[in-house]
């Protein structure tokens, strides 16, 4: 039997379609793109891939479709030596994909299609992935594409098993609520289960009401967090 993966995660993982364009468009505009790039991506998928490339066993836990995107994802993970045992393929469904126009200055827009992985439930996390989480040393998850119940379920399983919880707060709580992924109040309450937080700037400002980074950190630590990531206040949005 292979050793359980040391780092596992539940969250976004899909195929990113990058349109390299001269500039980002406004309403009713058209423009010729310079080129198209296709890569496996996603917040949690990217984080786990970097762990795998460092030589540490890692596994993404989630749902993909039996489509070209799903096959690209599994090939990319296999090429990086990732553990594929936590990937569930659902017949007849579409995997996650994302459209990302990027302009000459590196500015971008992100259009997300969570598809089958966005339908992941707390029951599926408990029934399909609890053993992966309990046998790991670190559990990574995020606020981005998935609804709060499966995220929180994974956090709770990890917490109860003494597994460190890393949380990428990749969107502001107001966006999370607007996207109907969960309430702002419940999202902030779930952060009490987190050991290491990686907030984007918009989220840190919104949660704390502060603009000074040290004041943000002090208020966030009051939630019960233990650590911040080394680059805590990067902006994705």
């Amino acid at each position: 039997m292979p050793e359980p993966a040391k780092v596992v995660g539940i969250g976004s993982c899909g195929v990113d379609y990058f349109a390299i364009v001269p500039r980002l468009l406004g309403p009713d505009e058209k423009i010729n793109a310079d080129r198209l790039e296709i890569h496996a991506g996603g917040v949690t998928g990217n984080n786990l891939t970097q762990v795998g490339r460092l030589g540490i066993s890692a596994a993404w836990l989630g749902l993909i479709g039996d489509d070209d995107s799903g096959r690209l994802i599994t090939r990319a993970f296999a090429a990086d030596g990732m553990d594929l045992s936590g990937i569930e393929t659902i017949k007849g469904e579409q995997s996650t994909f994302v459209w990302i126009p990027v302009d000459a200055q590196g500015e971008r827009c992100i259009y997300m299609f969570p598809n089958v992985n966005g339908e992941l439930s707390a029951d599926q996390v408990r029934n399909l992935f609890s053993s992966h989480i309990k046998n790991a040393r670190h559990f990574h998850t995020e606020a981005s594409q998935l609804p709060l119940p499966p995220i929180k379920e994974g956090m709770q399983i990890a917490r109860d098993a003494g597994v460190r919880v890393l949380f990428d707060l990749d969107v502001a709580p107001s966006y999370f609520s607007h996207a109907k992924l969960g309430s702002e109040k419940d999202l902030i309450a779930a952060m009490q289960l987190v050991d290491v937080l990686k907030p984007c700037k918009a989220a840190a400002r919104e949660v704390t009401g502060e603009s000074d980074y040290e004041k943000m950190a002090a208020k966030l630590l009051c939630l019960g967090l233990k650590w911040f990531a080394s680059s805590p206040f990067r902006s994705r949005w």
Side-chain angles (χ1 to χ4, degrees):
M1 291 288 291
E3 289 290 322
K6 293 181 179 178
V7 184
V8 301
I10 289 173
S12 60
C13 176
V15 175
D16 293 342
Y17 293 87
F18 291 92
I20 311 304
V21 296
R23 62 181 179 85
L24 301 181
L25 299 181
D28 296 323
E29 291 187 303
K30 295 181 181 180
I31 199 169
N32 286 335
D34 295 326
R35 67 181 186 277
L36 175 68
E37 296 184 7
I38 303 173
H39 303 282
V43 174
T44 297
N46 286 340
N47 277 282
L48 293 170
T49 294
Q50 295 306 313
V51 170
R53 289 176 178 176
L54 290 171
I56 300 168
S57 57
W60 177 76
L61 314 174
L63 310 179
I64 62 173
D66 57 345
D67 56 0
D68 288 342
S69 294
R71 287 184 281 275
L72 190 155
I73 292 164
T74 53
R75 285 198 304 269
F77 277 156
D80 287 314
M82 301 277 285
D83 181 343
L84 306 182
S85 63
I87 297 176
E88 295 286 328
T89 301
I90 310 300
K91 289 186 177 181
E93 295 289 348
Q94 279 192 313
S95 303
T96 299
F97 64 89
V98 180
W99 293 345
I100 310 175
V102 183
D103 70 13
Q105 288 71 47
E107 297 296 327
R108 61 183 177 172
C109 301
I110 302 176
Y111 301 88
M112 301 184 294
F113 299 81
N115 294 329
V116 67
N117 195 51
E119 299 173 5
L120 183 69
S121 69
D123 285 344
Q124 286 174 311
V125 172
R126 185 165 51 254
N127 295 330
L128 297 174
F129 306 133
S130 60
S131 63
H132 292 83
I133 297 170
K134 291 176 181 178
N135 289 316
R137 294 181 62 183
H138 306 279
F139 172 70
H140 180 285
T141 191
E142 65 179 82
S144 175
Q145 292 185 5
L146 270 64
L148 185 58
I151 293 170
K152 188 175 180 182
E153 184 68 25
M155 288 179 173
Q156 191 65 63
I157 292 168
R159 189 81 168 190
D160 292 344
V163 176
R164 178 176 287 177
V165 177
L166 299 89
F167 187 50
D168 196 324
L169 186 54
D170 198 51
V171 296
S174 59
Y175 169 86
F176 194 80
S177 176
H178 180 72
K180 299 181 180 180
L181 299 175
S183 73
E184 296 180 47
K185 180 181 177 181
D186 289 344
L187 176 61
I188 293 172
M191 289 167 59
Q192 295 178 7
L193 300 172
V194 173
D195 296 303
V196 181
L197 178 69
K198 295 199 300 178
C200 67
K201 287 188 287 188
R205 283 195 298 264
E206 194 169 287
V207 171
T208 65
E210 301 287 352
S211 56
D212 177 81
Y213 289 165
E214 290 189 6
K215 291 180 180 179
M216 288 181 191
K219 286 192 175 182
L220 288 169
L221 286 170
C222 290
L223 296 174
L225 308 170
K226 296 179 181 178
W227 302 94
F228 288 111
S230 57
S231 301
F233 300 116
R234 74 211 189 290
S235 176
R236 288 180 180 268
W237 298 89

